[in-house]
Amino acid sequence: MWLVTECVQLFYIIVAVVEGRGLARGEVGMASIDLKNPEVILSQFADNTTYAKVITKLKILTPLEIIMSNTACDAGNTTKLFSLITEHFKNVTFTTVQRRYFNETKGLEYIEQLCASEFSTIFMEVQSKYYCLAAAAALLKYVEFIQNSVYAPKSLKVRFQGSEKTAMIDSSSAQNLELVINNRDSRNGHTLFGVLNYTKTPGGSRRLRSNILEPLVDAETINMRLDCVQELLQDEELFFSLQSVISKFLDTEQLLSVLVQIPKQDTVKTAESKITNLIYLKHTLELVEPLKAALSSCNTPLLKAYYNSLEDTRFGTILEKITTVINDDTRYTKGCLSMRTQKCYAVKPNINEFLDIARRTYTEIVDDIAGMITQLAEKYSLPMKTSFSSARGFFIQMNADCATLPNGQLPSEFTKITKMKNTYSFTSADLIKMNERCQESLREIYHMTYLVVCKLLNEIYEHIHCLYKLSDIVSMLDMLLSFAHACTLSDYVRPEFTDTLAIKQGWHPILEKIAVEKPVSNNTYLTEGNNFVIITGPNMSGKSTYLKQIALCQIMAQIGSYVPAEYCSFRIAEQIFTRIGMDDDIETNASTFMKEMKEITYIIQNANDKSLIIIDELGRGTSAEEGIGICYAACEYLLNLKAFTLFATHFLELCHIDALYPNVENHHFEVQHVRSSAGNKEKIAYTYTLSRGYTEEKNYGLKAAEVSSLPSSVILDAKEITNRITKQILQHRQKSTPEMMKQRAVYHLAMRLVQTARNSRLDPDSLRIYLKGLKKKYEASCPAPGQNDEQQ
Ligand SMILES: *[C@@H]1O[C@H](CO)[C@@H](O)[C@H](O)[C@H]1NC(C)=O
Ligand SMILES: *[C@@H]1O[C@H](CO)[C@@H](O)[C@H](O)[C@H]1NC(C)=O
Ligand SMILES: *[C@@H]1O[C@H](CO)[C@@H](O)[C@H](O)[C@H]1NC(C)=O
Ligand SMILES: *[C@@H]1O[C@H](CO)[C@@H](O)[C@H](O)[C@H]1NC(C)=O
Ligand SMILES: *[C@@H]1O[C@H](CO)[C@@H](O)[C@H](O)[C@H]1NC(C)=O
Ligand SMILES: *[C@@H]1O[C@H](CO)[C@@H](O)[C@H](O)[C@H]1NC(C)=O
Ligand SMILES: *[C@@H]1O[C@H](CO)[C@@H](O)[C@H](O)[C@H]1NC(C)=O
Ligand SMILES: *[C@@H]1O[C@H](CO)[C@@H](O)[C@H](O)[C@H]1NC(C)=O
């Protein structure tokens, strides 16, 4: 393989690929390394069943070897992902290793060991990305093995690469924002996922989850989804008829994955499960026509496209083949006995003579059991009934008060007695024997049915890929219906996409579900020329909630959902970063500080002009002087980006940064002082409303200290120090005022003009009046002429 071409000498890339299981199916983790370049690239993303992203990514990487888990391609039992990759990368060497090498814990250990310290912010990003960590473990183990050497500690560059065409949200931001997991109780649904999840199918749930973690960045696609949601909201009949069909679908992806697996041995269990799956398949295909009917009157392009996809003749072809051997009225039912009956009688009569005989035997035994129990009931004059559970088979059940029984006991012929309240469950030696005979005839039936089913499945395999399309459509429709559903319960609004972040009376979607009263709504406005907002206010005044609310609204908009606001417009964010302080935890100073610094470093290294950055309190884990210093430094860096940044802080000194940077805007949360009647101490009342300008309540930290029980001498000292710092900053500020004011005015005029030109929907006359107004504003905000002429 070293002889192939020259370029082999330039790089030798090995990639490990692993796919999640269960709810995380479709979640793919990849790790790659170039043997010629000590850089490990990790990625993890959700893909649909066409695995287009994985293939694209692999194409970009151009590996020479691909490693996958042996479970992906056990003899005759290959996953869709494995067959697609082997198909697309014919020249690539494939190696399979045991699944246990894909060990995420080990992966994290490897990275800890091997990653050079300058790249260590990778931890933040991948900590909870289990699949790429698992892939990294297998990859690094394999490389050690083939190279017969190990990498030196802290020698590798390790980097995370999000998937293309989706917004990146790092794992700590996802956690801060409680996107899919609630921080207090991982089982409760107070998350963005919980707020939006009205999905009816497992596939819809998975899709919603992966969308929330990786929102779209393409306005056209988002608007196509929004068009659908709008149509669903406007057309109630469409909404309800679609929802009713969608809710009948089972887990189509799961079904597909078991259908394409061929078991290594035939057991009664595998036979039974194949029969069950065939019934599920029939059930699923029978829903295609109702789904088409529900979609037939729709107008939006996406829904129309789905309708057209469903015109695929393969659905009908498969169903026809199925109905040649399977009874028309065989269907998926709930309840284990009725499902068992469905399986027994699935295959049409007269297809297999022995099957018909076995079924007659089975029916006779079941009738005998019922007859026997009736006789027993008569014999003892007790209200006995036939019952069934998959664990016990047939057994006897009876509702009776203990006192009505002779001697307060059941007759001695009954065994395995259990009692729940007044319900007795029991069996008898005869009944156990008959159950055994029943099982035996069932095994026969399943075996013969299985032979028929296998023959049928062989005939339909070639058409079965149309189900990938169906499962995609179903999960997508389910998610869109879920958005519409959420919208009908709260007054959400359709977002627009422009170059401005403007939210009018937006509120926190999760808080709305928890709080008794509707949370206080508020406005947000960021533009290119005003892309940095500093928010001040004491803690508990609602800063964190306000900041999270903005990020959540942004994410909702970018997945195609409506948004909790009166009006909103977003600039599409390619990345969303948050740094949100946990509750003030004085005990863990040091670790808080480390965490803060890691998070801010990560943001600074990765943010770009198209990011949305939310920082809530920075520099808490250290002294005030240092804290201010760090905040200043971070702000100054971020101010040079065109990213939209919202920066909440309790350091009022920071507000004055707006004198130096025209693109800074100050907001504060209002606080009212209430003199409590007892004593002359003041109490702070929070209003949870946001106002322009920085907080009037200067030194609220000191005020809060006063309210608390610090010695007054300490407070006096602190006040003096604060006054000195504030004065310095103000002096510095005043020195540069006249020129800066003019610059600011010019800057704002320019920015308004650009915006007006870009976004205006005004007619020319109105525009002229508007511009005249702007000019006046500009003249008013300029210092009187002469004052700064000499400087020019
Ligand atoms: C695979 O290798 C063959 C010959 O070695 C070459 O002709 C072909 O272009 C290669 N295909 C790809 C996709 O690299
Ligand atoms: C994964 O690796 C960790 C640490 O090396 C080990 O403790 C654990 O047993 C491994 N898990 C499996 C399933 O092998
Ligand atoms: C989503 O909501 C549905 C009910 O609408 C529920 O059955 C399902 O379990 C939820 N999914 C998850 C993953 O919580
Ligand atoms: C392959 O089939 C076996 C049963 O024969 C099953 O346990 C295993 O999970 C299957 N592999 C995959 C990747 O689904
Ligand atoms: C699957 O995703 C790819 C790209 O992400 C897209 O091109 C393709 O249309 C999707 N397939 C379906 C059926 O939605
Ligand atoms: C925040 O919301 C309150 C209550 O709705 C409102 O009075 C206040 O004006 C809002 N602040 C801003 C800046 O919009
Ligand atoms: C924030 O509030 C908590 C309790 O309300 C208080 O203990 C803490 O000292 C406050 N922190 C600051 C920096 O004001
Ligand atoms: C917490 O930080 C303060 C201020 O820097 C310091 O005085 C104190 O000793 C620190 N506490 C701990 C437990 O590290």
Side-chain angles (χ1 to χ4, degrees):
M1 75 185 113
W2 293 99
L3 300 173
V4 184
T5 61
E6 279 293 313
C7 74
V8 169
Q9 300 297 320
L10 290 177
F11 44 84
Y12 192 95
I13 294 166
I14 306 178
V15 187
V17 184
V18 70
E19 190 183 10
R21 296 188 273 201
L23 190 64
R25 191 145 28 82
E27 187 88 359
V28 177
M30 274 169 49
S32 66
I33 190 163
D34 182 352
L35 293 185
K36 312 260 163 181
N37 175 14
E39 178 175 356
V40 176
I41 301 171
L42 304 176
S43 51
Q44 180 172 327
F45 43 89
D47 212 345
N48 62 24
T49 42
T50 64
Y51 294 106
K53 278 192 212 163
V54 186
I55 303 297
T56 313
K57 240 182 161 36
L58 283 173
K59 289 253 155 93
I60 294 169
L61 282 169
T62 60
L64 291 177
E65 280 192 55
I66 296 178
I67 305 169
M68 289 183 80
S69 156
N70 60 341
T71 54
C73 53
D74 270 352
N77 174 1
T78 50
T79 60
K80 164 107 176 166
L81 178 60
F82 183 84
S83 31
L84 267 175
I85 293 180
T86 41
E87 189 182 302
H88 276 87
F89 298 89
K90 293 217 168 72
N91 286 0
V92 174
T93 312
F94 275 85
T95 309
T96 60
V97 301
Q98 286 180 21
R99 176 94 193 185
R100 71 185 161 90
Y101 287 115
F102 286 86
N103 176 334
E104 66 268 19
T105 319
K106 192 78 197 154
L108 198 61
E109 283 173 11
Y110 261 125
I111 293 172
E112 244 164 85
Q113 255 171 35
L114 298 178
C115 181
S117 48
E118 53 269 46
F119 307 111
S120 60
T121 56
I122 181 83
F123 285 110
M124 299 282 315
E125 227 164 329
V126 299
Q127 241 163 30
S128 55
K129 293 200 158 54
Y130 301 126
Y131 303 109
C132 70
L133 288 174
L139 176 75
L140 290 166
K141 182 89 198 164
Y142 179 73
V143 170
E144 275 179 12
F145 173 69
I146 58 162
Q147 298 279 85
N148 198 21
S149 68
V150 295
Y151 285 108
K154 312 253 177 239
S155 65
L156 289 179
K157 178 171 183 182
V158 183
R159 165 163 91 80
F160 185 83
Q161 200 176 52
S163 61
E164 288 72 28
K165 291 198 135 195
T166 56
M168 204 198 71
I169 306 175
D170 59 290
S171 56
S172 95
S173 294
Q175 192 186 345
N176 285 337
L177 296 170
E178 302 186 293
L179 295 185
V180 295
I181 297 172
N182 182 277
N183 286 337
R184 287 222 186 84
D185 175 3
S186 58
R187 279 161 309 169
N188 98 18
H190 296 147
T191 59
L192 185 58
F193 176 80
V195 166
L196 291 174
N197 173 34
Y198 294 94
T199 59
K200 304 290 180 192
T201 68
S205 258
R206 281 196 283 269
R207 183 148 215 160
L208 175 61
R209 182 181 172 277
S210 63
N211 268 268
I212 288 175
L213 293 173
E214 283 194 307
L216 303 175
V217 289
D218 170 26
E220 198 185 327
T221 314
I222 301 171
N223 273 318
M224 269 169 80
R225 288 190 185 177
L226 286 166
D227 290 342
C228 292
V229 176
Q230 189 170 347
E231 186 174 10
L232 289 169
L233 285 168
Q234 283 164 355
D235 186 344
E236 228 172 79
E237 203 185 311
L238 175 66
F239 175 87
F240 284 111
S241 56
L242 257 184
Q243 196 181 48
S244 135
V245 181
I246 291 291
S247 62
K248 293 194 182 95
F249 277 92
L250 305 162
D251 192 340
T252 317
E253 288 153 49
Q254 165 94 37
L255 170 64
L256 198 49
S257 73
V258 290
L259 279 176
V260 296
Q261 281 172 31
I262 294 153
K264 275 181 278 187
Q265 321 159 275
D266 295 345
T267 64
V268 179
K269 227 180 157 142
T270 56
E272 189 180 348
S273 100
K274 274 277 185 254
I275 302 165
T276 311
N277 287 316
L278 187 70
I279 296 175
Y280 286 178
L281 177 62
K282 178 169 178 282
H283 170 90
T284 303
L285 291 168
E286 280 170 347
L287 290 171
V288 171
E289 279 308 314
L291 185 57
K292 262 173 73 184
L295 285 169
S296 61
S297 65
C298 63
N299 293 311
T300 46
L302 191 56
L303 295 180
K304 273 192 171 153
Y306 288 155
Y307 178 84
N308 291 335
S309 294
L310 292 175
E311 301 235 284
D312 193 326
T313 53
R314 283 178 297 178
F315 296 117
T317 310
I318 301 179
L319 195 55
E320 246 169 58
K321 283 198 189 288
I322 290 177
T323 46
T324 56
V325 288
I326 302 294
N327 275 311
D328 287 345
D329 57 359
T330 296
R331 55 186 21 88
Y332 160 74
T333 58
K334 287 183 179 143
C336 52
L337 182 57
S338 54
M339 197 57 206
R340 181 164 136 172
T341 312
Q342 294 295 333
K343 279 182 269 184
C344 257
Y345 297 96
V347 171
K348 285 188 170 167
N350 305 322
I351 286 187
N352 180 327
E353 189 188 338
F354 298 106
L355 176 59
D356 294 344
I357 295 169
R359 286 202 288 220
R360 266 199 298 277
T361 314
Y362 173 77
T363 315
E364 278 164 22
I365 300 169
V366 172
D367 288 346
D368 286 354
I369 289 175
M372 186 183 81
I373 293 173
T374 314
Q375 273 176 17
L376 285 170
E378 280 168 15
K379 178 175 166 192
Y380 293 110
S381 302
L382 287 170
M384 294 188 221
K385 278 185 309 194
T386 311
S387 250
F388 180 87
S389 82
S390 51
R392 294 184 73 156
F394 289 102
F395 62 99
I396 308 171
Q397 221 170 32
M398 181 174 82
N399 278 320
D401 195 338
C402 172
T404 64
L405 296 177
N407 307 326
Q409 277 189 333
L410 281 168
S412 60
E413 79 175 270
F414 298 116
T415 57
K416 298 195 179 164
I417 302 164
T418 58
K419 188 177 177 229
M420 284 269 290
K421 292 196 178 147
N422 280 337
T423 304
Y424 289 87
S425 303
F426 48 89
T427 182
S428 73
D430 284 345
L431 184 52
I432 291 174
K433 261 188 223 141
M434 288 171 94
N435 258 320
E436 274 164 15
R437 278 178 52 209
C438 191
Q439 282 299 334
E440 207 173 299
S441 78
L442 258 182
R443 274 197 288 274
E444 246 177 274
I445 294 171
Y446 285 160
H447 177 67
M448 285 181 283
T449 307
Y450 178 60
L451 297 180
V452 177
V453 166
C454 282
K455 192 160 159 276
L456 174 62
L457 284 176
N458 282 338
E459 286 172 33
I460 58 186
Y461 270 135
E462 57 174 314
H463 307 292
I464 214 148
H465 282 218
C466 64
L467 283 183
Y468 286 108
K469 186 156 61 179
L470 180 63
S471 71
D472 267 339
I473 292 173
V474 169
S475 64
M476 190 68 187
L477 285 173
D478 196 12
M479 183 174 78
L480 294 172
L481 282 162
S482 187
F483 290 159
H485 194 145
C487 207
T488 57
L489 300 176
S490 304
D491 262 336
Y492 292 174
V493 72
R494 180 177 172 150
E496 286 181 13
F497 295 96
T498 62
D499 51 11
T500 304
L501 170 56
I503 303 174
K504 186 178 173 208
Q505 298 299 317
W507 66 91
H508 193 294
I510 305 171
L511 201 61
E512 183 188 18
K513 300 290 168 198
I514 307 170
V516 190
E517 288 168 33
K518 195 174 166 181
V520 176
S521 52
N522 244 306
N523 301 339
T524 310
Y525 187 67
L526 283 91
T527 65
E528 205 173 295
N530 222 331
N531 63 329
F532 198 100
V533 173
I534 294 178
I535 297 156
T536 49
N539 63 22
M540 312 293 293
S541 62
K543 284 180 300 185
S544 305
T545 309
Y546 174 70
L547 291 178
K548 286 185 197 169
Q549 161 195 321
I550 295 166
L552 291 172
C553 289
Q554 177 93 35
I555 292 169
M556 287 171 88
Q558 279 185 232
I559 61 179
S561 161
Y562 276 32
V563 173
E566 266 179 25
Y567 164 82
C568 59
S569 144
F570 294 90
R571 182 178 80 172
I572 290 199
E574 285 182 358
Q575 302 142 319
I576 296 171
F577 297 103
T578 63
R579 206 226 77 79
I580 292 174
M582 291 298 138
D583 302 328
D584 309 58
D585 200 346
I586 310 291
E587 299 263 307
T588 58
N589 259 5
S591 55
T592 306
F593 183 66
M594 288 308 290
K595 188 162 182 281
E596 277 189 339
M597 289 307 105
K598 265 191 190 164
E599 287 185 340
I600 196 73
T601 314
Y602 174 66
I603 294 177
I604 284 176
Q605 280 181 357
N606 292 285
N608 67 21
D609 288 345
K610 290 181 178 154
S611 308
L612 174 69
I613 304 170
I614 303 266
I615 296 174
D616 181 15
E617 290 297 357
L618 189 63
R620 276 211 158 172
T622 181
S623 67
E625 293 80 7
E626 263 175 35
I628 296 174
I630 289 162
C631 285
Y632 238 106
C635 283
E636 292 215 292
Y637 183 88
L638 295 175
L639 271 163
N640 288 315
L641 294 177
K642 290 200 168 79
F644 282 173
T645 306
L646 290 119
F647 197 105
T649 180
H650 68 284
F651 295 125
L652 294 179
E653 293 78 5
L654 222 54
C655 298
H656 304 299
I657 208 167
D658 70 344
L660 304 171
Y661 292 91
N663 53 337
V664 175
E665 180 97 5
N666 276 303
H667 289 297
H668 74 274
F669 275 86
E670 272 164 18
V671 174
Q672 283 166 5
H673 282 256
V674 182
R675 220 164 251 287
S676 74
S677 45
N680 54 3
K681 282 195 172 169
E682 284 182 342
K683 217 173 121 214
I684 294 177
Y686 300 111
T687 57
Y688 301 106
T689 60
L690 186 68
S691 306
R692 230 192 176 108
Y694 38 88
T695 179
E696 302 286 313
E697 191 43 56
K698 297 203 168 171
N699 304 337
Y700 73 85
L702 294 174
K703 280 263 163 65
E706 263 176 88
V707 179
S708 75
S709 51
L710 279 180
S712 54
S713 61
V714 175
I715 295 169
L716 274 178
D717 277 352
K719 270 188 179 161
E720 207 189 306
I721 295 167
T722 325
N723 282 340
R724 225 180 289 153
I725 295 175
T726 316
K727 237 182 242 155
Q728 269 173 13
I729 290 171
L730 283 177
Q731 272 168 8
H732 181 66
R733 186 188 185 200
Q734 259 144 22
K735 252 186 248 158
S736 45
T737 293
E739 195 199 351
M740 274 184 176
M741 271 179 69
K742 180 162 182 193
Q743 277 179 358
R744 273 174 83 82
V746 173
Y747 178 83
H748 281 291
L749 175 66
M751 249 27 248
R752 288 270 159 79
L753 284 172
V754 169
Q755 270 207 309
T756 312
R758 225 182 271 166
N759 296 333
S760 174
R761 289 189 206 132
L762 300 174
D763 56 274
D765 278 341
S766 317
L767 193 59
R768 214 167 299 132
I769 294 167
Y770 176 73
L771 289 179
K772 255 187 203 160
L774 273 186
K775 192 164 166 239
K776 252 192 212 141
K777 238 189 214 165
Y778 165 65
E779 283 162 0
S781 60
C782 260
Q787 241 182 20
N788 50 357
D789 278 355
E790 59 266 39
Q791 279 161 4
Q792 289 179 349

